[in-house]
């Protein structure tokens, strides 16, 4: 059986044979036969926007692998920095390599004093942390103008290290601005996630006791969010990067896409939904309202997963470990009942709607003391290695600028009325 498809234009009888390579068909062959007739696929649901060797996702089978390693193994064995190294440099680091990478990260983690004094201070005190983070990442572009030299692999590497290193510092600063606490710079003697927790929650004298269980749980959540192939924000990073924009504005654009409630903003939306439902007894009414089209069950559904999101399984297990330390989040019972009712209901069964990564993560973040406005910020810290790995891969592939076609549906040419 030939690994190809034949397309015939029935208007002319002309045919073209298109080879199937790696489960894909080359759109160029189509456009040779049918110039000016475009695929009508606005949300790219049937279009492969990239060739990538970073993450493999099979949504039907519930499979997620980073560089071939199953997420279940990665989650139990690797730290966030090891996963970052794996995603960025396509190599599992040795102990020496990850130690030296951690040192590089620690060196790049502080942010310029002017950033606190002049940029952060310009925001309203109640500014949403995600808006502040996105602007902060973009502002870094002005601190590192050499980052525009995207053809130089060493310069690209340095910016990737800087972004991974500075995200927690920017995130903690956005939070401290909100709560009126003095800004803190990172402590190079602390590990990545312990340092972030300390910058977030330390007292004015800098003291903070890191709970190892909570730190490890947060590190694991970063690992679970680290990459997810061509999601909306990563596709944004690849598209913006394809215009040869510098990495800071590219990652700020990706973070902007993440902010939306259909994407990374869903973790905040889930918490607000659970609070609005308010009690266990209201769950059935809420599900009925979703089914009648009054809103969505946030934290459920996924474009690609048509079975249980493997990340959600691990997040749910992690929630129980965290609640042993923090006490049970009172919203957990509502979430568990929502899941139980939805998974037994034909509306959700017929549409393959299962909990996704955002369904339980917010409960953990809240129990750790993060305000809801920080939830998507935490997702952004976790996703930064993925965005950067795809940006770097796209540049190495020498890809053309992202520039889709459109199907024009407006008026035909017409003359302006005479006035
Ligand atoms: N609650 C109720 N109905 C839903 C939901 C939901 N969460 N998600 C999809 N549906 C229904 C939708 O109404 C449609 O029904 P019908 O065929 O009768 O019109 C059907 O399921 C297919 O939905 P869709 O909108 O075509 O699906 P999509 O692949 O375009 O959207 C999604 C995927 C994630 C945006 C969507 O499922 C959603 O809005 N979920 C809630 C938000 C959320 O949790 N987002 C986080 C995604 S995972 C983390 C990440 O990637 O950031």
């Amino acid at each position: 059986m030939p690994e190809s498809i034949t397309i015939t234009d029935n208007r002319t009888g002309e045919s073209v044979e298109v080879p199937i390579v790696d489960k894909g068909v080359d759109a160029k062959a189509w456009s040779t036969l049918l110039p000016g007739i475009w695929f009508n696929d606005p949300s790219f649901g049937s279009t492969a926007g990239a060739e990538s060797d970073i993450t493999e996702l099979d949504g039907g089978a519930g499979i997620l692998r980073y560089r071939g390693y199953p997420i279940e193994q990665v989650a139990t064995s690797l730290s966030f920095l090891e996963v970052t190294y794996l995603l960025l440099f396509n190599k599992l680091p040795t102990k020496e390599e990850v130690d030296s990478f951690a040192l590089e990260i620690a060196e790049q983690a502080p942010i310029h004093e002017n950033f606190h004094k002049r940029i952060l201070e310009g925001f309203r005190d109640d500014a949403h942390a995600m808006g502040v983070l996105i602007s902060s990442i973009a502002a870094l572009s002005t601190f590192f103008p050499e980052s525009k030299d995207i053809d130089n692999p060493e310069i690209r590497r340095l910016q990737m290290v800087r972004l991974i290193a500075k995200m927690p510092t920017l995130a903690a600063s956005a939070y401290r601005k909100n709560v009126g606490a003095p800004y803190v710079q990172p402590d190079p003697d602390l590990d990545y996630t312990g340092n972030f927790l300390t910058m977030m929650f330390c007292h004015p004298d800098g003291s903070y006791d890191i709970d190892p269980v909570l730190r490890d749980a947060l590190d694991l959540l970063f690992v679970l969010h680290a990459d997810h192939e061509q999601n909306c924000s990563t596709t944004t990073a690849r598209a913006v990067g394809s215009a040869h924009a510098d990495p800071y504005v590219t990652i700020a654009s990706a973070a902007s896409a993440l902010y939306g409630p259909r994407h990374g903003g869903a973790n905040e939306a889930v918490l607000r939904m659970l609070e609005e439902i308010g009690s266990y007894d209201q769950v059935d009414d809420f599900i009925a309202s979703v089914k009648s089209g009054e809103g969505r069950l946030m934290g459920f559904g996924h474009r690609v997963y048509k079975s249980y999101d493997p990340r959600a399984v691990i997040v749910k297990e992690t929630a129980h470990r965290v609640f042993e330390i923090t006490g049970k989040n009172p919203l957990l019972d509502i979430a568990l009942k929502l899941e139980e009712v939805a998974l037994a209901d034909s509306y959700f069964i017929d549409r393959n709607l299962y909990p996704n990564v955002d369904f339980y993560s917010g409960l953990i973040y809240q129990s750790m003391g993060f305000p809801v406005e920080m939830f998507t910020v935490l997702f952004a810290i976790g996703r930064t290695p993925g965005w950067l790995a795809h940006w770097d891969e796209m540049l190495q592939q020498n890809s053309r600028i992202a520039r889709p076609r459109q199907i024009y549906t407006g008026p035909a040419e017409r003359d302006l009325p005479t006035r």
Side-chain angles (χ1 to χ4, degrees):
M1 181 102 54
E3 282 292 291
S4 66
I5 52 168
T6 300
I7 306 164
T8 306
D9 182 346
N10 291 326
R11 297 167 305 179
T12 60
E14 274 183 60
S15 292
V16 65
E17 189 180 345
V18 192
I20 299 173
V21 181
D22 293 337
K23 297 188 207 154
V25 293
D26 186 358
K28 269 194 212 129
W30 171 278
S31 54
T32 308
L33 178 70
L34 298 165
I37 298 187
W38 312 117
F39 288 107
N40 188 351
D41 187 21
S43 59
F44 310 125
S46 304
T47 301
E51 280 181 20
S52 178
D53 58 19
I54 300 170
T55 288
E56 187 186 359
L57 208 175
D58 179 339
I63 287 172
L64 173 63
R65 299 180 187 133
Y66 294 163
R67 302 278 188 196
Y69 300 109
I71 192 66
E72 294 77 7
Q73 292 178 28
V74 168
T76 47
S77 307
L78 301 182
S79 70
F80 179 62
L81 275 197
E82 287 171 311
V83 169
T84 299
Y85 193 101
L86 173 68
L87 292 173
L88 293 183
F89 310 127
N90 195 8
K91 179 181 186 301
L92 261 186
T94 60
K95 168 95 178 65
E96 291 70 36
E97 282 167 335
V98 79
D99 286 350
S100 131
F101 185 54
L103 278 178
E104 271 186 87
I105 296 280
E107 259 171 43
Q108 295 296 340
I111 46 181
H112 198 289
E113 219 192 10
N114 280 350
F115 176 83
H116 282 140
K117 281 197 203 140
R118 302 205 185 136
I119 299 178
L120 265 194
E121 283 309 305
F123 287 98
R124 288 166 55 123
D125 288 338
D126 62 354
H128 193 287
M130 228 6 226
V132 176
L133 180 76
I134 291 163
S135 314
S136 306
I137 303 168
L140 289 181
S141 157
T142 65
F143 287 75
F144 305 112
E146 75 276 18
S147 66
K148 291 183 178 19
D149 187 1
I150 48 126
D151 290 328
N152 182 324
E154 281 311 305
I155 290 194
R156 281 209 307 275
R157 188 187 192 284
L158 176 58
Q159 313 320 310
M160 293 198 285
V161 169
R162 278 186 177 142
L163 270 158
I164 301 289
K166 290 184 197 302
M167 283 292 279
T169 320
L170 297 177
S173 298
Y175 167 73
R176 294 183 82 89
K177 154 95 186 147
N178 264 181
V179 295
Y183 300 119
V184 284
Q185 289 282 6
D187 179 344
D189 294 330
L190 295 176
D191 65 274
Y192 187 85
T193 303
N195 186 30
F196 171 56
L197 284 169
T198 306
M199 286 190 287
M200 280 288 301
F201 299 122
C202 72
H203 303 292
D205 66 359
S207 62
Y208 178 73
D209 285 333
I210 300 170
D211 184 309
V213 176
L214 300 187
R215 181 208 44 211
D216 292 352
L218 185 58
D219 200 77
L220 170 58
L221 288 170
F222 289 157
V223 165
L224 295 177
H225 286 89
D227 191 40
H228 213 231
E229 50 117 302
Q230 311 304 320
N231 55 85
C232 181
S233 55
T234 303
T235 298
T236 303
R238 290 187 84 119
V240 175
S242 79
H244 289 185
D246 76 56
Y248 299 101
V249 293
T250 299
I251 299 307
S253 310
S256 306
L258 188 77
Y259 192 5
R262 285 173 159 185
H263 191 7
N267 53 16
E268 177 174 344
V270 169
L271 231 288
R272 296 200 190 280
M273 172 187 78
L274 294 174
E275 282 171 350
E276 209 179 297
I277 295 171
S279 83
Y280 193 82
D281 308 337
Q282 297 299 315
V283 167
D284 290 319
D285 285 352
F286 179 78
I287 291 286
S289 73
V290 169
K291 286 164 62 180
S292 68
E294 279 175 47
R296 288 201 164 188
L297 175 53
M298 300 309 286
F300 257 67
H302 199 276
R303 169 62 59 78
V304 181
Y305 288 121
K306 298 303 165 203
S307 59
Y308 214 103
D309 181 337
R311 302 167 302 172
V313 178
I314 305 170
V315 176
K316 196 172 168 185
E317 287 162 10
T318 310
H320 292 297
R321 269 205 309 284
V322 167
F323 298 157
E324 276 172 28
I325 307 284
T326 61
K328 192 173 86 177
N329 188 316
L331 296 171
L332 177 68
D333 288 338
I334 301 178
L336 288 171
K337 182 159 181 207
L338 271 175
E339 180 184 344
E340 190 190 314
V341 173
L343 292 186
D345 189 302
S346 60
Y347 175 96
F348 297 90
I349 296 169
D350 294 349
R351 290 169 179 77
N352 294 316
L353 301 171
Y354 292 88
N356 58 49
V357 71
D358 292 315
F359 193 65
Y360 287 104
S361 59
L363 292 175
I364 302 181
Y365 298 146
Q366 190 182 51
S367 293
M368 286 180 171
F370 290 98
V372 279
E373 291 80 8
M374 284 298 288
F375 292 3
T376 311
V377 169
L378 299 171
F379 193 151
I381 295 175
R383 183 55 56 86
T384 302
W387 291 331
L388 289 168
H390 282 271
W391 168 74
D392 196 48
E393 179 182 64
M394 180 272 306
L395 289 173
Q396 289 185 54
Q397 287 166 338
N398 207 11
S399 58
R400 299 169 78 201
I401 188 167
R403 205 306 182 187
R405 302 290 185 147
Q406 68 164 9
I407 295 182
Y408 177 67
T409 56
E413 183 184 3
R414 51 184 168 166
D415 292 324
L416 276 172
T418 43
R419 285 194 252 179

